Amino acid sequence: MRAARLIKMVLLLQSRPSMTGAELARELEVSERTVTRDALALSEAGVPVYADRGRAGGYRLVGGYRTGLTGLARTEAEALFLSGLPGALRDMGLEDAASAARLKVTAALLPSLRNASDSAAGRFHLDAPGWYQEPETPELLPVIAEAVWDDRRIRATYRRRDAEVERELEPYGLVLKAGVWYLCARAGGTFRVYRIDRFSSAAADEEFFERDDDFDLPAFWEERAAQFARSILRAEVVVRATEDGARRLPYVTDRAAALEALAAAGPPDGGGRVTVTLPVESLDVAYSQLLSLGPEVEVVEPQELRDRFAGAAAGMRDLYR
């Protein structure tokens, strides 16, 4: 335990010009008295730790000393590739590994490059969750994530509608989509997608599985996401849209479906409106989506939806008369 702390202290001092006793105590989670004893122990072991006295004093390495103790452990290396997703790291239980990895990389860099991570962090941030929602971390995510890293099979109970089913899965990868965690896993030779918050139990086996080297997680997810988006578009509406309405249509309905429908539409009529046959999830969903476009889009079919819009327009007219 102390050996690991001494190594971390050297790496911290190697990555910065100097650090106060209080800063080192905070980083190492020890008292300042312990920092003083550790600095003395390092000096006696031949590590040139120098202590500057006074209010502006602190600890530093002298003589350009550099240690080679910067090898990354496997979990640290894996976490480093996810270091742009601090929330995801925390949810999967990898925050400490990422912190250790960043420290080792910083210590190994030349002094002129040590602020590169701060510079990049100040210019790029990935905010995975969607707007207007507080993402929830599934309770079983760390267990499943560990099985993913280790290539271990898991036995899980999964909620499907009103029933629970037992599954033996080979967990291949995790996807964080708009604040929701998904597991891509193989079951019975077939790759499937599972929402992690629908697992009511999950436990990793001692048995490992052999990964399919041809499996491409981003490509698999892109294909499944496209299939899902198409599968929920079970209804169709016909609308006449103005130029502005046609421009805004992909932003209020399914983007891919709207763009495809607009591309297949004919030329505008004499009033400048284009007739579009648009796939939608349901008439209720179409009503809420198209209502935001107001008079820029006129529903032609089905008559049921057209009547609903006519009723809404009459109600708005009476309200604002």
Side-chain angles (χ1 to χ4, degrees):
M1 186 72 174
R2 190 190 184 198
R5 189 175 71 242
L6 291 174
I7 292 172
K8 185 175 182 179
M9 184 174 179
V10 173
L11 293 175
L12 285 168
L13 293 174
Q14 187 171 306
S15 65
R16 307 178 194 181
S18 67
M19 295 183 70
T20 66
E23 289 172 336
L24 282 169
R26 185 168 56 253
E27 291 281 354
L28 299 173
E29 298 180 347
V30 296
S31 67
E32 292 189 47
R33 185 182 295 273
T34 300
V35 169
T36 301
R37 288 198 297 265
D38 286 351
L40 180 60
L42 287 171
S43 295
E44 291 174 348
V47 178
V49 178
Y50 180 79
D52 290 315
R53 304 298 179 185
R55 175 177 294 183
Y59 295 88
R60 60 186 175 88
L61 294 173
V62 297
Y65 179 85
R66 300 180 64 79
T67 176
L69 295 172
T70 55
L72 292 177
R74 172 175 171 165
T75 55
E76 294 169 349
E78 290 169 339
L80 190 60
F81 284 102
L82 296 170
S83 59
L85 292 166
L89 286 167
R90 182 180 59 252
D91 293 348
M92 290 187 291
L94 291 173
E95 193 171 28
D96 290 343
S99 177
R102 286 192 292 268
L103 174 60
K104 290 181 178 181
V105 169
T106 302
L109 291 173
L110 293 173
S112 60
L113 300 177
R114 284 178 189 159
N115 69 340
S117 60
D118 293 335
S119 176
R123 290 165 173 80
F124 177 76
H125 172 67
L126 177 60
D127 183 10
W131 290 99
Y132 315 124
Q133 62 178 350
E134 286 294 331
E136 295 184 1
T137 303
E139 182 181 349
L140 295 172
L141 177 60
V143 173
I144 295 173
E146 186 174 358
V148 170
W149 300 132
D150 294 341
D151 293 337
R152 291 184 183 272
R153 288 187 174 89
I154 60 173
R155 297 182 184 275
T157 304
Y158 190 73
R159 295 188 297 275
R160 295 180 58 183
R161 298 183 179 88
D162 298 329
E164 288 193 340
V165 294
E166 301 291 332
R167 289 287 184 265
E168 184 173 333
L169 305 173
E170 295 177 351
Y172 267 69
L174 297 167
V175 174
L176 177 60
K177 170 68 173 177
V180 179
W181 285 93
Y182 296 88
L183 171 68
C184 300
R186 184 165 60 182
T190 303
F191 287 100
R192 302 180 186 275
V193 175
Y194 302 86
R195 274 187 63 141
I196 292 183
D197 58 7
R198 292 182 183 168
F199 284 105
S200 54
S201 69
D205 287 350
E206 292 298 320
E207 185 179 358
F208 297 90
F209 68 89
E210 187 173 343
R211 292 180 67 90
D212 181 351
D213 292 336
D214 293 330
F215 179 77
D216 185 328
L217 179 60
F220 171 77
W221 177 258
E222 183 178 1
E223 179 185 354
R224 287 304 173 92
Q227 289 177 358
F228 175 76
R230 288 193 298 269
S231 71
I232 64 174
L233 302 178
R234 301 187 180 94
E236 228 175 43
V237 299
V238 179
V239 301
R240 278 196 290 263
T242 64
E243 182 180 353
D244 185 53
R247 179 183 60 80
R248 292 164 56 191
L249 196 60
Y251 296 97
V252 299
T253 63
D254 182 88
R255 182 174 178 81
L259 291 174
E260 186 175 335
L262 287 166
D269 60 18
R273 289 180 177 259
V274 62
T275 300
V276 181
T277 301
L278 181 69
V280 294
E281 184 174 344
S282 68
L283 296 187
D284 285 339
V285 171
Y287 175 77
S288 63
Q289 291 174 335
L290 298 176
L291 192 62
S292 66
L293 298 179
E296 304 303 322
V297 168
E298 174 196 359
V299 174
V300 179
E301 296 179 359
Q303 187 63 43
E304 172 190 349
L305 185 61
R306 182 177 175 85
D307 292 343
R308 191 171 175 183
F309 270 85
M316 291 284 284
R317 180 195 61 211
D318 293 341
L319 182 63
Y320 288 99
R321 177 175 294 170

